[in-house]
């Protein structure tokens, strides 16, 4: 047990209490951020004349040495310290002596930990954003290659109208695009520096908070010291944004699992991204997609947990807030892993264009277009709907599709039909006639792909 705060105590902390209270087992991952924050703090203290230049030099040298040694594995972060802040300070004092004892001047672990988490989250947002960029590029590649790959579009998991694979992928592009924007938005809003908030009420030293904020790449200092130490909104926002990423990945995974099934065979997941069964030799399972779908619950759980932890906390810092870390770390790790794995799976997946097109031809996906044909020949839509409904029934009885039904049968139900009905209900026509913005028609889709490409160019 090595603590920073022994002075006021007459008894040793109970070992179980110590263990319960300690956070070093998980906040050790913040060591680089903790040192970076200390470096900025010390530079500011020296600039303000609170530390001498010599002290500054000694402390900065010491901190840099600790950073290098932890990174190279020469210095091990041991669990005899309560948290990462105590560890760094103790290591500094043991290396440089008395000057090290001045590091914590004008600072509390409360503003320190708030800073560390913000620095960490900023880095992780960048990393997540790069992963989302790769995912978007993979989705866009499938879009570009499949402008003419026809497939059924579904509602209620029933075949509805023909679309293209390009169009279907375009929906996911929009989802992940919004995820990217949400992350940028969180970054922008959270980018204020807690340092200088002290324990809760600022400090009596003439700190230059603007300077530290600038050194650390923040837009400015947090404007209320009590909020500065106890704001965890950005973590909740992040968990919410990550939950949304997982929801999107999970829906996509569900479709991959369905499409990869023996019944659909719309896609074949690459061997490198599939797993086998220990008993059934024929099996090739979509475990990666299933795990991504499954891990969604874990990330939602983190969001619920932190929302609940924060709901009853009076101002300002309370130890409850230490509970933010494990949830956030786990969620960040999980989402990063899921995006990377999913992207790899998508890039190597084979799309069975023949199966998709065959499926689109079945199931009357062109029924709406047959009704539209009648509307274009002067029949009111509601009447046209009824007429085509009768034709569908007829086709089902005869085991035929609308493309094969003889013209005489069409005309027996409604004399408006002519030979050109076959052209009107062909897959190509059904898709290419849908040219409004956002629709699957070739022209609209090509425009959309160009817009997506421009978005990626400016990413
Ligand atoms: N481990 C603590 C946390 O994560 C650091 C802040 C401790 N502050 C305190 N006053 N006990 O929140």
């Amino acid at each position: 047990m090595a603590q920073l705060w022994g002075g006021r105590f007459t008894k040793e902390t109970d070992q179980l209490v110590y263990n319960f209270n300690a956070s070093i087992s998980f906040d050790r991952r913040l060591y680089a951020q903790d040192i970076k924050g200390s470096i900025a703090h010390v530079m500011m203290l020296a600039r303000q004349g609170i530390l001498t230049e010599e002290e500054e030099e000694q402390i900065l040298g010491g901190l840099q040495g600790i950073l290098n040694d932890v990174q190279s594995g020469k210095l091990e972060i041991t669990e005899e310290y309560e948290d990462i802040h105590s560890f760094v300070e103790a290591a500094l004092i043991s290396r440089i002596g008395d000057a090290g004892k001045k590091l914590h001047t004008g600072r509390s672990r409360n503003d320190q930990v708030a800073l560390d988490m913000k620095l960490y989250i900023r880095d992780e947002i960048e990393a997540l954003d790069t992963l989302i960029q790769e995912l978007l590029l993979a989705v866009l590649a499938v879009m570009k290659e499949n402008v003419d790959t026809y497939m059924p579009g579904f509602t209620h998991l029933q075949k509805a109208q023909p679309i293209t694979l390009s169009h279907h992928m375009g929906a996911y592009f929009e989802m992940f695009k919004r995820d990217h924007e949400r992350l940028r938005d969180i970054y922008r809003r959270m980018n204020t520096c807690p340092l200088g908030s002290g324990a809760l009420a600022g400090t009596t030293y003439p700190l230059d908070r603007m300077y530290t904020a600038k050194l650390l790449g923040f837009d400015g200092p947090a404007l209320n010291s009590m909020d500065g130490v106890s704001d965890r909104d950005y973590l909740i926002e992040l968990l919410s944004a990550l939950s949304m990423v997982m929801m999107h990945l999970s829906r996509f995974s569900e479709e991959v699992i369905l499409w990869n099934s023996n019944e659909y065979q719309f896609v074949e997941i690459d061997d490198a991204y599939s797993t086998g069964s220990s008993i059934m030799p024929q099996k090739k399972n979509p475990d990666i997609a299933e795990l991504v779908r499954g891990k969604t619950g874990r990330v939602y759980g983190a969001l619920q947990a932190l929302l609940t932890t924060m709901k009853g906390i009076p101002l300002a810092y309370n130890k409850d807030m230490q509970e933010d870390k494990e949830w956030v770390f786990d969620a960040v790790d999980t989402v990063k892993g899921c995006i990377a794995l999913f992207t790899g799976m998508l890039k190597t997946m084979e799309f069975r264009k023949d199966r998709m097109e065959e499926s689109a031809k079945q199931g009357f996906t062109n029924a709406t277009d047959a009704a539209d044909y009648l509307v274009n020949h002067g029949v009111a839509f509601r009447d046209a709907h009824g007429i085509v409904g009768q034709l569908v029934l007829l086709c089902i009885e005869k085991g035929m599709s609308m493309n094969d039904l003889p013209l005489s049968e069409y005309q027996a139900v409604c004399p408006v039909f002519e030979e050109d009905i076959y052209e009107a209900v062909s897959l190509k026509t059904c898709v290419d006639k849908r040219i409004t913005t956002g629709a699957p028609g070739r022209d609209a889709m090509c425009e959309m792909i160009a817009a997506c490409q421009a978005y990626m160019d400016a990413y």
Side-chain angles (χ1 to χ4, degrees), residues 53-116:
E53 257 177 48
E54 202 194 323
E55 287 165 339
E56 177 190 21
E57 207 176 299
Q58 268 184 291
I59 300 176
L60 294 186
L63 287 171
Q64 194 57 52
I66 295 171
L67 181 62
N68 297 344
D69 291 351
V70 173
Q71 257 154 7
S72 70
K74 229 165 97 186
L75 178 62
E76 201 195 329
I77 302 177
T78 49
E79 304 222 342
E80 66 195 285
Y81 296 95
E82 181 187 340
D83 53 32
I84 190 64
H85 326 296
S86 319
F87 170 82
V88 172
E89 190 175 325
L92 183 70
I93 295 169
S94 94
R95 287 182 175 210
I96 68 165
D98 281 347
K101 295 183 181 167
K102 298 194 173 181
L103 168 67
H104 212 51
T105 313
R107 191 176 68 173
S108 157
R109 277 185 298 165
N110 297 352
D111 55 353
Q112 190 178 356
V113 76
L115 172 72
D116 291 3

XYZ file of all heavy atoms in Angstrom, residues 53-116:
496
model
N 12.760 27.610 -12.987
C 13.128 26.966 -14.249
C 13.862 25.657 -14.005
O 13.704 24.684 -14.733
C 14.022 27.909 -15.060
C 13.264 28.581 -16.181
C 14.128 29.564 -16.949
O 15.268 29.174 -17.310
O 13.681 30.710 -17.161
N 14.661 25.676 -12.953
C 15.441 24.479 -12.637
C 14.514 23.339 -12.207
O 14.683 22.173 -12.624
C 16.406 24.832 -11.508
C 17.593 23.909 -11.439
C 18.324 24.096 -10.118
O 18.405 25.245 -9.636
O 18.787 23.082 -9.569
N 13.542 23.691 -11.373
C 12.571 22.670 -10.942
C 11.813 22.124 -12.154
O 11.594 20.915 -12.284
C 11.589 23.268 -9.928
C 12.219 23.510 -8.563
C 11.381 24.424 -7.671
O 10.532 25.202 -8.185
O 11.587 24.378 -6.444
N 11.440 23.047 -13.022
C 10.702 22.636 -14.227
C 11.525 21.628 -15.038
O 11.033 20.570 -15.426
C 10.398 23.868 -15.099
C 9.704 23.500 -16.404
C 9.613 24.669 -17.397
O 10.411 25.625 -17.253
O 8.770 24.614 -18.286
N 12.777 21.972 -15.229
C 13.645 21.116 -16.027
C 13.777 19.726 -15.409
O 13.674 18.700 -16.092
C 15.020 21.773 -16.099
C 15.811 21.403 -17.328
C 17.124 22.190 -17.344
O 17.076 23.452 -17.373
O 18.174 21.539 -17.271
N 13.967 19.728 -14.106
C 14.112 18.450 -13.396
C 12.837 17.605 -13.517
O 12.899 16.407 -13.795
C 14.342 18.715 -11.904
C 15.796 18.799 -11.499
C 15.850 18.953 -9.986
O 15.460 20.000 -9.453
N 16.310 17.925 -9.307
N 11.711 18.259 -13.280
C 10.444 17.510 -13.296
C 10.137 16.998 -14.705
O 9.769 15.832 -14.895
C 9.258 18.366 -12.774
C 9.516 18.808 -11.331
C 7.954 17.577 -12.847
C 8.456 19.739 -10.759
N 10.331 17.869 -15.688
C 10.031 17.441 -17.056
C 10.932 16.281 -17.470
O 10.474 15.311 -18.088
C 10.172 18.612 -18.041
C 9.155 19.746 -17.875
C 9.307 20.777 -18.988
C 7.724 19.229 -17.846
N 12.209 16.379 -17.101
C 13.135 15.283 -17.407
C 12.677 13.991 -16.740
O 12.681 12.916 -17.351
N 12.277 14.119 -15.491
C 11.824 12.946 -14.734
C 10.590 12.324 -15.365
O 10.506 11.098 -15.555
N 9.635 13.182 -15.714
C 8.379 12.671 -16.298
C 8.636 11.992 -17.638
O 8.106 10.917 -17.928
C 7.371 13.813 -16.472
C 6.730 14.351 -15.179
C 5.923 15.624 -15.470
C 5.841 13.302 -14.514
N 9.468 12.626 -18.459
C 9.779 12.046 -19.759
C 10.451 10.690 -19.585
O 10.143 9.731 -20.309
C 10.683 13.012 -20.547
C 10.810 12.695 -22.018
C 9.455 12.661 -22.751
O 8.682 13.611 -22.661
N 9.165 11.559 -23.428
N 11.351 10.611 -18.610
C 12.039 9.347 -18.334
C 11.049 8.261 -17.930
O 11.147 7.109 -18.376
N 10.090 8.634 -17.088
C 9.084 7.649 -16.649
C 8.275 7.164 -17.855
O 8.051 5.968 -18.040
C 8.155 8.270 -15.573
C 8.965 8.582 -14.306
C 6.989 7.341 -15.255
C 8.211 9.399 -13.265
N 7.887 8.122 -18.692
C 7.104 7.765 -19.879
C 7.887 6.783 -20.762
O 7.381 5.730 -21.151
C 6.757 9.033 -20.679
C 5.917 8.832 -21.932
C 4.554 8.238 -21.605
C 5.731 10.147 -22.685
N 9.136 7.140 -21.030
C 9.956 6.260 -21.881
C 10.102 4.873 -21.271
O 9.987 3.857 -21.951
C 11.361 6.842 -22.084
C 11.307 8.174 -22.826
O 10.295 8.505 -23.431
N 12.396 8.944 -22.758
N 10.354 4.863 -19.949
C 10.625 3.574 -19.307
C 9.373 2.700 -19.210
O 9.468 1.473 -19.305
C 11.235 3.801 -17.917
C 12.646 4.381 -18.024
O 13.179 4.426 -19.164
O 13.209 4.805 -16.996
N 8.223 3.342 -19.014
C 6.997 2.529 -18.997
C 6.759 1.976 -20.404
O 6.463 0.794 -20.587
C 5.771 3.338 -18.509
C 4.491 2.517 -18.678
C 5.921 3.768 -17.062
N 6.950 2.841 -21.392
C 6.723 2.410 -22.773
C 7.655 1.269 -23.174
O 7.242 0.335 -23.848
C 6.913 3.584 -23.735
C 5.588 4.143 -24.205
C 5.644 5.605 -24.614
O 6.706 6.213 -24.685
N 4.482 6.173 -24.867
N 8.908 1.348 -22.744
C 9.867 0.311 -23.150
C 9.787 -0.928 -22.257
O 10.438 -1.932 -22.522
C 11.285 0.879 -23.093
O 11.649 1.070 -21.732
N 8.986 -0.848 -21.200
C 8.850 -1.999 -20.311
C 9.888 -2.026 -19.191
O 9.915 -2.934 -18.364
N 10.741 -1.010 -19.161
C 11.775 -0.971 -18.124
C 11.181 -0.662 -16.747
O 11.670 -1.143 -15.729
C 12.806 0.130 -18.496
C 14.241 -0.359 -18.421
C 15.190 0.593 -19.118
C 15.853 1.546 -18.141
N 16.664 2.570 -18.838
N 10.140 0.143 -16.753
C 9.464 0.484 -15.501
C 8.081 -0.155 -15.512
O 7.268 0.094 -16.405
C 9.334 2.011 -15.374
C 8.597 2.536 -14.142
C 9.305 2.132 -12.843
C 8.474 4.064 -14.207
N 7.845 -0.974 -14.498
C 6.573 -1.690 -14.442
C 5.588 -0.934 -13.557
O 5.964 -0.446 -12.481
C 6.819 -3.083 -13.853
C 5.739 -4.073 -14.208
C 5.814 -5.314 -13.315
O 6.947 -5.669 -12.902
O 4.756 -5.880 -13.025
N 4.358 -0.815 -14.013
C 3.335 -0.171 -13.175
C 2.827 -1.220 -12.194
O 2.112 -2.147 -12.570
C 2.177 0.375 -14.035
C 2.714 1.375 -15.066
C 1.101 1.018 -13.159
C 1.684 1.925 -16.031
N 3.223 -1.075 -10.942
C 2.885 -2.105 -9.963
C 1.633 -1.708 -9.183
O 1.299 -0.540 -9.061
C 4.041 -2.318 -8.970
O 4.445 -1.025 -8.499
C 5.210 -2.990 -9.631
N 0.975 -2.713 -8.636
C -0.318 -2.475 -8.006
C -0.206 -2.034 -6.547
O -1.209 -1.960 -5.844
C -1.203 -3.712 -8.161
C -1.352 -4.095 -9.615
C -2.761 -4.505 -10.036
O -3.571 -4.818 -9.147
O -3.028 -4.508 -11.256
N 0.998 -1.743 -6.105
C 1.086 -1.255 -4.726
C 0.613 0.197 -4.629
O 0.456 0.732 -3.541
C 2.521 -1.366 -4.218
C 3.454 -0.445 -4.970
C 4.927 -0.753 -4.767
O 5.448 -0.440 -3.693
O 5.517 -1.304 -5.718
N 0.394 0.817 -5.764
C -0.128 2.190 -5.756
C -1.627 2.177 -5.978
O -2.154 1.316 -6.679
C 0.580 3.032 -6.827
C 2.046 3.168 -6.510
C 2.967 2.300 -7.070
C 2.483 4.106 -5.579
C 4.305 2.380 -6.736
C 3.819 4.187 -5.241
C 4.724 3.326 -5.820
O 6.043 3.399 -5.477
N -2.265 3.163 -5.378
C -3.723 3.216 -5.420
C -4.246 3.454 -6.845
O -5.198 2.827 -7.292
C -4.168 4.359 -4.494
C -5.644 4.554 -4.388
C -5.973 5.821 -3.585
O -5.106 6.301 -2.817
O -7.080 6.339 -3.728
N -3.596 4.376 -7.526
C -4.046 4.682 -8.887
C -2.855 5.167 -9.710
O -1.744 5.326 -9.189
C -5.175 5.729 -8.877
C -4.820 6.988 -8.090
O -3.623 7.357 -8.057
O -5.729 7.607 -7.502
N -3.088 5.430 -10.958
C -2.000 5.801 -11.860
C -1.383 7.146 -11.477
O -0.181 7.369 -11.637
C -2.476 5.772 -13.344
C -1.291 5.925 -14.299
C -3.507 6.853 -13.630
C -0.285 4.801 -14.246
N -2.201 8.028 -10.904
C -1.695 9.348 -10.522
C -0.661 9.199 -9.393
O 0.391 9.833 -9.412
C -2.832 10.265 -10.082
C -4.102 10.033 -10.836
N -4.190 10.253 -12.193
C -5.324 9.564 -10.448
C -5.416 9.927 -12.595
N -6.112 9.505 -11.564
N -0.992 8.362 -8.410
C -0.067 8.120 -7.295
C 1.201 7.454 -7.799
O 2.302 7.768 -7.356
C -0.702 7.206 -6.246
O -2.036 7.546 -6.034
N 1.013 6.526 -8.727
C 2.180 5.811 -9.246
C 3.167 6.771 -9.901
O 4.370 6.737 -9.626
C 1.738 4.745 -10.257
C 2.890 4.144 -11.012
C 3.652 3.118 -10.453
C 3.255 4.625 -12.270
C 4.744 2.584 -11.133
C 4.336 4.096 -12.952
C 5.084 3.080 -12.381
N 2.656 7.645 -10.758
C 3.545 8.549 -11.494
C 4.230 9.509 -10.520
O 5.444 9.740 -10.596
C 2.783 9.322 -12.595
C 3.666 10.393 -13.228
C 2.270 8.366 -13.667
N 3.457 10.038 -9.594
C 4.044 10.996 -8.652
C 5.122 10.322 -7.789
O 6.206 10.881 -7.584
C 2.954 11.618 -7.768
C 3.476 12.787 -6.944
C 2.378 13.512 -6.151
O 1.243 13.611 -6.654
O 2.674 13.968 -5.029
N 4.818 9.117 -7.315
C 5.792 8.403 -6.480
C 7.056 8.087 -7.280
O 8.180 8.226 -6.785
C 5.167 7.128 -5.930
N 6.864 7.659 -8.529
C 8.026 7.335 -9.366
C 8.872 8.588 -9.577
O 10.109 8.545 -9.544
C 7.564 6.778 -10.710
N 8.204 9.721 -9.763
C 8.928 10.972 -9.992
C 9.754 11.343 -8.758
O 10.941 11.676 -8.873
C 7.922 12.091 -10.326
C 8.546 13.438 -10.664
C 9.267 13.371 -12.018
C 7.489 14.550 -10.702
N 9.118 11.263 -7.587
C 9.826 11.636 -6.353
C 11.010 10.697 -6.127
O 12.107 11.125 -5.762
C 8.861 11.640 -5.148
C 7.810 12.750 -5.335
C 9.613 11.824 -3.825
C 6.642 12.702 -4.373
N 10.807 9.426 -6.398
C 11.921 8.497 -6.173
C 13.053 8.759 -7.162
O 14.208 8.492 -6.880
C 11.440 7.050 -6.199
O 11.587 6.515 -7.477
N 12.737 9.308 -8.329
C 13.790 9.555 -9.317
C 14.487 10.905 -9.124
O 15.694 10.983 -9.288
C 13.206 9.500 -10.740
C 12.892 8.089 -11.151
C 12.356 8.030 -12.562
N 12.187 6.621 -12.925
C 12.284 6.141 -14.138
N 12.573 6.946 -15.141
N 12.132 4.853 -14.375
N 13.707 11.949 -8.820
C 14.350 13.277 -8.799
C 14.339 13.939 -7.424
O 14.805 15.073 -7.262
C 13.720 14.233 -9.848
C 12.268 14.580 -9.459
C 13.775 13.651 -11.251
C 11.727 15.767 -10.236
N 13.732 13.276 -6.453
C 13.761 13.819 -5.084
C 12.802 14.979 -4.892
O 11.703 15.001 -5.459
N 13.251 15.986 -4.118
C 12.360 17.045 -3.621
C 11.572 17.790 -4.690
O 10.404 18.124 -4.477
C 13.167 18.056 -2.798
C 13.435 17.497 -1.396
O 12.773 16.470 -1.048
O 14.281 18.047 -0.680
N 12.189 18.052 -5.833
C 11.460 18.796 -6.876
C 10.186 18.054 -7.259
O 9.151 18.665 -7.554
C 12.349 19.008 -8.097
N 10.250 16.740 -7.213
C 9.095 15.916 -7.577
C 7.897 16.170 -6.677
O 6.740 16.004 -7.091
N 8.198 16.582 -5.447
C 7.104 16.816 -4.492
C 6.295 18.061 -4.839
O 5.267 18.337 -4.232
C 7.675 16.949 -3.079
C 8.328 15.670 -2.585
C 8.810 15.822 -1.158
C 9.487 14.545 -0.676
N 10.223 14.756 0.572
N 6.792 18.835 -5.808
C 6.078 20.059 -6.190
C 5.133 19.851 -7.380
O 4.402 20.761 -7.756
C 7.088 21.156 -6.510
C 7.941 21.519 -5.305
C 8.683 22.810 -5.518
C 9.391 23.210 -4.217
N 10.117 24.468 -4.367
N 5.187 18.654 -7.954
C 4.375 18.390 -9.143
C 2.892 18.688 -8.921
O 2.205 19.222 -9.789
C 4.545 16.915 -9.567
C 3.569 16.384 -10.621
C 3.800 17.052 -11.972
C 3.709 14.867 -10.784
N 2.413 18.334 -7.743
C 0.957 18.392 -7.518
C 0.484 19.777 -7.050
O -0.665 19.944 -6.651
C 0.560 17.306 -6.509
C -0.812 16.743 -6.724
N -1.265 16.266 -7.944
C -1.865 16.561 -5.877
C -2.505 15.828 -7.820
N -2.905 16.000 -6.571
N 1.366 20.768 -7.136
C 0.991 22.128 -6.738
C -0.156 22.652 -7.599
O -0.073 22.583 -8.836
C 2.199 23.077 -6.930
O 3.355 22.456 -6.358
C 1.952 24.430 -6.270
N -1.199 23.125 -6.963
C -2.299 23.727 -7.730
C -3.096 22.709 -8.514
O -3.708 23.036 -9.533
N -3.113 21.487 -8.059
C -3.824 20.450 -8.793
C -4.419 19.446 -7.819
O -3.931 19.300 -6.702
C -2.849 19.726 -9.728
C -3.505 18.833 -10.716
C -2.512 18.208 -11.668
N -1.623 17.248 -11.014
C -0.755 16.476 -11.670
N -0.634 16.575 -12.984
N 0.002 15.631 -11.028
N -5.461 18.780 -8.223
C -6.077 17.719 -7.430
C -6.170 16.504 -8.323
O -6.150 16.631 -9.559
C -7.478 18.156 -6.999
O -8.282 17.042 -6.712
N -6.295 15.327 -7.728
C -6.521 14.169 -8.586
C -7.869 14.276 -9.290
O -8.113 13.615 -10.291
C -6.456 12.875 -7.767
C -5.032 12.389 -7.566
C -5.037 11.074 -6.862
N -5.636 11.176 -5.539
C -6.033 10.151 -4.805
N -5.913 8.924 -5.261
N -6.544 10.329 -3.612
N -8.740 15.137 -8.737
C -10.063 15.270 -9.360
C -9.991 15.930 -10.738
O -10.601 15.456 -11.697
C -11.006 16.057 -8.444
C -11.254 15.333 -7.137
O -10.834 14.183 -6.976
N -11.909 15.993 -6.195
N -9.245 17.043 -10.828
C -9.117 17.624 -12.174
C -8.140 16.816 -13.018
O -8.249 16.753 -14.243
C -8.779 19.129 -12.159
C -7.540 19.510 -11.377
O -6.958 18.635 -10.704
O -7.155 20.704 -11.421
N -7.213 16.145 -12.344
C -6.236 15.332 -13.062
C -6.908 14.153 -13.778
O -6.662 13.914 -14.961
C -5.199 14.819 -12.059
C -3.993 14.172 -12.678
C -2.985 13.746 -11.610
O -3.180 14.008 -10.404
N -1.933 13.098 -12.015
N -7.761 13.444 -13.051
C -8.402 12.275 -13.672
C -9.395 12.713 -14.749
O -9.542 12.054 -15.789
C -9.074 11.357 -12.624
C -10.398 11.910 -12.109
C -9.291 9.967 -13.198
N -10.041 13.858 -14.497
C -10.972 14.372 -15.520
C -10.198 14.689 -16.802
O -10.648 14.395 -17.913
C -11.697 15.610 -15.003
N -9.020 15.262 -16.643
C -8.168 15.560 -17.799
C -7.725 14.275 -18.496
O -7.825 14.150 -19.721
C -6.940 16.357 -17.364
C -5.899 16.530 -18.478
C -6.407 17.507 -19.541
C -4.562 16.989 -17.935
N -7.214 13.325 -17.702
C -6.698 12.084 -18.292
C -7.753 11.408 -19.168
O -7.466 10.950 -20.276
C -6.259 11.102 -17.198
C -5.021 11.587 -16.449
O -4.539 12.698 -16.743
O -4.539 10.852 -15.557
